[in-house]
Amino acid sequence: MNAVPPALVLPLEAVGLEAIGEVGGKNASLGEMIRELTAEGVRVPGGFATTAAAYRHLIRSGALQDQLHTILDGLDSRNIARLQAAGAAARALLLAAPLPPDLEQAILAAYRNLGCPAVAVRSSATAEDLPDASFAGQQETYLNVCGEAELLAACRRCYASLFTDRAISYRQLNGFDHFEVALSIGVQRMVRSDLACSGVMFSIDTETGFRNAVLLTAAYGLGETVVQGAVNPDELLIFKPTLEQGFAPIISKRLGSKAIRMVYGEATSDYSSAGHSATHNEPVPEADRRRFALTDAEALQLARWACRIETHYSGRRGQPTPMDIEWAKDGTSGELFILQARPETVESRRNTSVLRSWHLEPHSAELLCSGRAIGASVSSGRARIIRDPSEIQRFQSGDLLVTERTDPDWEPILKRASGVITNQGGRTCHAAIIAREMGITAIVGAGDATERIADGELITASCCEGDEGHVYRGALSFRLDEQDVGALPATRTQILMNVGNPEEAFNLAAIPCDGVGLARLEFIIANHIRVHPMALLAPERVKDPAERHAIAELTAGYADPAEYYVDLLAQGMGRIAAAFHPRPVILRFSDFKSNEYAKLLGGRDFEPHEDNPMIGWRGASRYYAEGFREAFGLECRALKRVREAMGLTNVIPMVPFCRTPEEGDRVLGEMARHGLVRGDNDLQVYVMCELPSNVIGAEAFAERFDGFSIGSNDLTQLTLGLDRDSALVAELFDERHPTVMEMIRLAIQTAKRCGRKIGICGQAPSDHPEFAAFLVGEGIDSISLNPDAVISTRLSVAALEAQARQ
């Protein structure tokens, strides 16, 4: 009985992950989603794939195997000139070989069955005996291919692209036999994203490995500009757990410049260059640049699909499998589509039992430029401005590459680099992805790095300061800390963390702790919002024209300037709450003094001059005052959005510097006026215990609030009657003074008697072991510390508790 010959072409819906050896990972994944996830609402454009058998049929029919051996045998891909010559010869051989008639007819029949639409033609390499091998990014893609002749020409180019210089080098460096690798071609209906937008999303945060977020990037036009790093796209973070409960948890939105978009051009069979004349780039109108490419509803829909895709692939692989996904929006139908999905391969494999953190030593170096930080490392070296990868001979090992953007042709240079800085690109572009794989420092989307950095000068690229990466002049000192967090002891006393910068929250959440004891809003207001809230509510009162202009620039895109404040504040709150969810996050309402508020844009027009603002108009007294109560309302609106729209009910608001119980009533009344009613939706409200009146009147405060947090700095200065900012009395400031410790003891005892939680936020327990022993002995519920002291304090508290049990 004769064996059935293998199929040359298969419809995508007929293949799945089991067919990787037959159609490659890219096409197998598309078929898997069409077959398994269409019923769950995930849309994938239809199409077909040529098989590995079709490629081998081409090689046999053209008698190409021996000729390819002659070209490739003995090749050393590190010899760039020989690599380029061999690649050109191999590609010419494939391009000159006609497609076998039966393969050509099978391709055309499948194309006609689709209705002969415009298609994307993508290469998907595969090794039959190596189903887990990855050849992503090594071969070519052709977009907006129209008509039968153009399709066949694109297919020939795809087959030839198995022998691009980078693909030959990749296989040789990774030990793959050129003749064991085949190529499948995926032909897929084009989504008219040239009339809308497209991008990339990951079901994991690519910089920190935080698994509960979807990172979504978006730009106008075809998606190649995002993947190539030719644009700085919009970036959004969406929190997965509450998204799947039906909430709308967009916890970060960053507007990209999106200066250009790739659109359709005239279709052609001459696919001889990376740009191809079937597509071209054009500038994006300024008005479109200043708004997000996706609506919030569309972003949430894509994130839900990312969760479904991740869940499906995790089930198939039997282990958690974060995904790297390309998507597009069709400008004619308005529909969203998934174009590709593959497992993420860098952050998901990170060793989470060892925490690594880089820290710049204090410096006053000149800042040269900034961009998006990729990872959290630091590198120093000579800057080398390279315009084209052919200049590789100028690049020395350990240099930092500075260029417009990168693509796979740059990988030989990147293998030598200690870091890369690009003018263009976002967190999902080629330079960012390769930098993560290679473990090198990267700053992308820096704008004009090639103009601001001099070729050959010593520079330091720092990604350890938040989402923004900074390039400094000179070789700065830095250190790398490593902590083993594999097996830390449990403690009765909760060990919490102090957090201010939302951009650091995902990294900090990896440090074993029981939640956040103090989340400060001041960092968000000063560094992200930058505008006094009253200047947004009453802009006509801002006198300085320059400040009015700066405020208008910041709030562009918001119909109501006050919404700018609420939106950014809610995102900052939400990002911290999401990072530690479901652990509690105690979020202190703003506690700027009048002199600090005055430094914000427009602030001088709303703030009084106070001789001693430390004990002046601050904290609770602001929240109900006529000159600030509407500004406090913006904080309440932001918190309500975090709890009710994002679903992050682990946030516990805390009132600072509340002088009397009656003042507490007035603050709770203001909160209720804005929809935050203590007890509703499990809302707890805490109060800072930082004034002698809070300790002496603790029973009355306990009737109004659900918990206390001892602020040891203010409690010390007000108990001892000194100004902690005065150098003249600084030596008298000591939380361990017997009178201060007696106040703390009384506060703990009263809170316990009233059935209220009580903790402390400050460094004293980590700086002074005897102070920590005192707190543990008194039965304090929690100790909240700066991140660098969390692990050491947990160990010391565990030892103290063990001693007490003996």
Side-chain angles (χ1 to χ4, degrees):
M1 186 175 181
N2 294 329
V4 177
L8 301 178
V9 172
L10 291 169
L12 288 177
E13 62 269 20
V15 300
L17 293 182
E18 75 287 344
I20 287 177
E22 195 173 9
V23 295
K26 189 181 299 181
N27 293 327
S29 182
L30 288 170
E32 180 79 10
M33 289 188 290
I34 291 172
R35 195 173 65 186
E36 304 293 338
L37 296 177
T38 298
E40 295 189 39
V42 178
R43 276 191 295 271
V44 179
F48 60 90
T50 66
T51 63
Y55 169 77
R56 294 191 172 92
H57 180 38
L58 168 68
I59 296 299
R60 283 194 305 272
S61 68
L64 305 180
Q65 181 110 341
D66 290 344
Q67 297 177 72
L68 286 170
H69 270 293
T70 301
I71 294 168
L72 297 172
D73 287 356
L75 175 66
D76 180 357
S77 64
R78 293 169 297 182
N79 184 320
I80 301 299
R82 288 200 61 200
L83 172 64
Q84 291 172 338
R91 291 192 297 275
L93 190 64
L94 267 293
L95 285 170
L99 296 178
D102 53 347
L103 174 57
E104 182 174 306
Q105 288 307 310
I107 291 171
L108 293 179
Y111 181 55
R112 290 165 188 158
N113 192 49
L114 279 182
C116 298
V119 291
V121 182
R122 293 186 168 93
S123 311
S124 185
T126 180
E128 281 189 352
D129 299 325
L130 298 166
D132 293 325
S134 171
F135 301 98
Q138 301 304 317
Q139 283 78 46
E140 297 291 352
T141 292
Y142 302 94
L143 303 177
N144 190 28
V145 177
C146 299
E148 296 182 356
E150 288 77 8
L151 173 61
L152 295 175
C155 288
R156 286 194 296 272
R157 290 283 174 191
C158 278
Y159 282 132
S161 76
L162 190 59
F163 297 97
T164 61
D165 299 350
R166 61 180 180 265
I168 294 170
S169 175
Y170 177 88
R171 291 194 293 270
Q172 192 171 86
L173 289 171
N174 288 280
F176 297 123
D177 185 334
H178 296 299
F179 300 96
E180 292 299 319
V181 176
L183 189 131
S184 168
I185 299 171
V187 178
Q188 204 176 9
R189 289 181 182 275
M190 278 292 292
V191 175
R192 291 302 305 267
S193 58
D194 61 310
L195 302 175
C197 57
S198 56
V200 177
M201 61 179 170
F202 287 83
S203 64
I204 186 174
D205 181 60
T206 54
E207 307 318 313
T208 64
F210 182 72
R211 291 185 177 235
N212 278 341
V214 171
L215 168 66
L216 172 63
T217 62
Y220 297 114
L222 303 174
E224 258 54 26
T225 55
V226 176
V227 175
Q228 294 167 359
V231 295
N232 300 338
D234 299 333
E235 291 183 7
L236 296 88
L237 283 169
I238 296 121
F239 185 56
K240 287 153 58 176
T242 58
L243 173 73
E244 295 189 271
Q245 294 169 6
F247 294 96
I250 299 177
I251 57 175
S252 177
K253 290 178 71 175
R254 183 186 181 96
L255 187 68
S257 56
K258 306 183 296 295
I260 62 170
R261 61 185 168 204
M262 182 181 286
V263 297
Y264 283 4
E266 292 295 323
T268 178
S269 58
D270 178 16
Y271 298 100
S272 57
S273 65
H276 321 309
S277 55
T279 61
H280 67 272
N281 290 332
E282 66 180 25
V284 173
E286 183 65 30
D288 290 338
R289 297 185 197 185
R290 295 174 72 95
R291 63 177 180 83
F292 287 93
L294 285 171
T295 66
D296 286 357
E298 289 168 338
L300 292 167
Q301 179 62 65
L302 286 169
R304 281 189 284 269
W305 286 357
C307 293
R308 289 169 190 165
I309 293 168
E310 180 184 67
T311 298
H312 178 76
Y313 278 72
S314 298
R316 286 296 307 265
R317 292 162 67 99
Q319 62 185 37
T321 305
M323 299 297 290
D324 170 357
I325 301 163
E326 294 181 25
W327 63 270
K329 178 182 177 181
D330 191 294
T332 54
S333 69
E335 293 179 316
L336 297 167
F337 290 89
I338 299 299
L339 304 183
Q340 284 191 46
R342 51 189 168 263
E344 193 274 344
T345 58
V346 179
E347 286 301 326
S348 54
R349 298 180 183 178
R350 185 202 289 206
N351 178 6
T352 56
S353 65
V354 177
L355 293 180
R356 307 180 79 209
S357 58
W358 283 259
H359 306 272
L360 279 181
E361 302 295 353
H363 67 90
S364 57
E366 178 187 354
L367 177 65
L368 297 175
C369 61
S370 299
R372 301 294 282 135
I374 304 304
S377 64
V378 181
S379 295
S380 294
R382 296 274 174 198
R384 197 60 64 194
I385 299 176
I386 303 287
R387 306 288 181 181
D388 187 89
S390 62
E391 301 176 59
I392 188 171
Q393 69 281 354
R394 293 183 50 227
F395 200 86
Q396 302 299 312
S397 292
D399 286 350
L400 281 94
L401 172 64
V402 184
T403 190
E404 190 71 18
R405 61 184 175 88
T406 70
D407 59 34
D409 290 332
W410 290 82
E411 290 176 28
I413 289 180
L414 291 168
K415 286 184 172 71
R416 301 181 183 182
S418 64
V420 56
I421 302 155
T422 65
N423 289 345
Q424 300 175 346
R427 288 169 63 183
T428 56
C429 73
H430 174 268
I433 291 169
I434 295 301
R436 290 188 201 101
E437 290 180 357
M438 295 182 177
I440 62 176
T441 305
I443 297 172
V444 301
D448 54 359
T450 52
E451 305 301 321
R452 290 180 173 270
I453 300 171
D455 187 58
E457 77 170 316
L458 274 174
I459 60 170
T460 298
S462 168
C463 292
C464 70
E465 301 168 84
D467 283 357
E468 287 288 315
H470 301 300
V471 182
Y472 298 101
R473 192 184 304 281
L476 305 186
S477 298
F478 62 90
R479 72 180 193 277
L480 170 61
D481 295 338
E482 293 188 342
Q483 290 183 304
D484 188 343
V485 296
L488 292 175
T491 57
R492 181 204 65 79
T493 309
Q494 287 192 321
I495 305 301
L496 307 177
M497 187 186 298
N498 301 333
V499 179
N501 184 354
E503 295 174 358
E504 296 177 350
F506 287 175
N507 263 325
L508 296 177
I511 300 173
C513 68
D514 298 306
V516 175
L518 177 62
R520 305 180 183 94
L521 295 188
E522 291 78 26
F523 184 93
I524 304 169
I525 296 169
N527 294 277
H528 295 180
I529 298 173
R530 297 166 48 201
V531 184
H532 193 288
M534 291 304 300
L536 299 169
L537 290 164
E540 71 281 356
R541 291 174 55 187
V542 179
K543 298 184 181 71
D544 187 328
E547 290 197 337
R548 284 203 303 270
H549 177 74
I551 293 170
E553 285 289 305
L554 288 172
T555 58
Y558 289 87
D560 176 8
E563 176 60 21
Y564 163 80
Y565 194 94
V566 174
D567 194 26
L568 268 63
L569 197 57
Q571 288 178 39
M573 292 176 177
R575 190 160 173 178
I576 296 172
F580 292 87
H581 184 273
R583 294 167 287 177
V585 171
I586 301 171
L587 186 146
R588 186 180 70 189
F589 285 125
S590 64
D591 193 24
F592 275 139
K593 291 80 175 172
S594 55
N595 59 321
E596 295 166 335
Y597 261 123
K599 294 176 183 176
L600 298 173
L601 286 170
R604 289 172 299 172
D605 297 305
F606 297 92
E607 292 298 325
H609 171 74
E610 295 186 279
D611 291 331
N612 193 349
M614 185 71 77
I615 54 173
W617 196 34
R618 60 175 288 201
S621 62
R622 279 183 170 264
Y623 303 158
Y624 57 85
E626 199 57 42
F628 197 81
R629 66 195 298 247
E630 294 308 319
F632 177 63
L634 301 183
E635 295 184 34
C636 293
R637 283 170 53 188
L639 178 59
K640 183 177 171 67
R641 184 173 300 177
V642 168
R643 289 179 55 85
E644 297 182 7
M646 298 183 186
L648 293 163
T649 54
N650 59 319
V651 176
I652 301 171
M654 181 164 65
V655 179
F657 223 78
C658 187
R659 293 175 170 94
T660 68
E662 294 75 21
E663 190 169 59
D665 288 335
R666 298 183 74 172
V667 172
L668 291 170
E670 287 297 315
M671 291 176 63
R673 188 165 71 92
H674 294 283
L676 292 171
V677 178
R678 178 179 166 229
D680 285 3
N681 193 23
D682 298 322
L683 175 64
Q684 298 182 64
V685 185
Y686 281 22
V687 66
M688 289 290 293
C689 183
E690 54 193 342
L691 307 166
S693 62
N694 299 142
V695 179
I696 296 167
E699 287 190 11
F701 281 101
E703 293 174 2
R704 292 157 171 84
F705 295 99
D706 300 284
F708 297 89
S709 180
I710 297 168
S712 57
N713 285 341
D714 274 329
L715 186 59
T716 299
Q717 74 167 345
L718 293 168
T719 298
L720 298 179
L722 53 84
D723 180 353
R724 73 175 192 249
D725 287 343
S726 172
L728 298 175
V729 292
E731 64 182 33
L732 298 175
F733 186 92
D734 190 348
E735 300 100 325
R736 297 167 297 168
H737 191 279
T739 56
V740 178
M741 292 180 72
E742 187 58 33
M743 292 290 273
I744 293 173
R745 187 196 319 274
L746 179 58
I748 295 172
Q749 290 175 350
T750 307
K752 292 284 185 185
R753 189 171 66 251
C754 295
R756 294 291 185 248
K757 294 270 189 174
I758 186 164
I760 189 169
C761 48
Q763 282 305 98
S766 60
D767 294 340
H768 308 296
E770 70 277 18
F771 191 74
F774 159 71
L775 294 170
V776 172
E778 291 298 321
I780 199 162
D781 292 306
S782 63
I783 297 172
S784 190
L785 309 127
N786 287 342
D788 59 356
V790 166
I791 292 176
S792 60
T793 303
R794 179 178 288 279
L795 293 171
S796 63
V797 167
L800 288 167
E801 292 179 350
Q803 290 173 9
R805 289 193 295 269
Q806 292 175 356

